[in-house]
Amino acid sequence: MEPINLEELREFVGARVEVSVHDQQGGDQAPAINKKLEKIEYCPDHTHIRFYFDRFNFIAVPLASDMAHSETLFSASDTESGLTYTFRLI
């Protein structure tokens, strides 16, 4: 895995994605959701990348996360929080 590069994720903007967030501890897991990804940008203090589903709702992924990226999948693991964020094109 490597650090997140915002430019590599531009192809996901405007696409429908399945989003899931998993806890590495194996506790209760939220179900995956299907949403259109409206925009991706850095948060004001440049500690996270925000994945917006509309003008107000977003998921923030820490920049310090390790990522895996392919043409159809983006996954980021944050070792500090123990969360893994996955965005899969649908």
Side-chain angles (χ1 to χ4, degrees):
M1 293 193 144
E2 58 191 45
I4 294 172
N5 179 343
L6 184 63
E7 293 306 314
E8 292 179 0
L9 301 177
R10 295 287 181 204
E11 64 199 42
F12 284 76
V13 175
R16 291 203 59 81
V17 293
E18 178 185 80
V19 181
S20 61
V21 180
H22 293 296
D23 179 357
Q24 295 169 356
Q25 297 282 332
D28 290 338
Q29 303 296 321
I33 59 170
N34 294 330
K35 294 283 188 176
K36 182 177 179 186
L37 197 56
E38 294 294 331
K39 70 178 177 177
I40 302 172
E41 65 182 24
Y42 293 108
C43 71
D45 63 1
H46 285 263
T47 58
H48 292 74
I49 292 179
R50 293 179 177 176
F51 293 82
Y52 281 87
F53 305 113
D54 57 36
R55 291 182 58 201
F56 304 106
N57 296 298
F58 63 87
I59 290 179
V61 177
L63 274 175
S65 300
D66 289 324
M67 80 164 217
H69 175 254
S70 72
E71 291 180 11
T72 60
L73 181 78
F74 166 76
S75 181
S77 295
D78 178 25
T79 55
E80 187 174 320
S81 69
L83 297 176
T84 299
Y85 307 84
T86 303
F87 297 80
R88 184 178 59 85
L89 291 177
I90 52 174

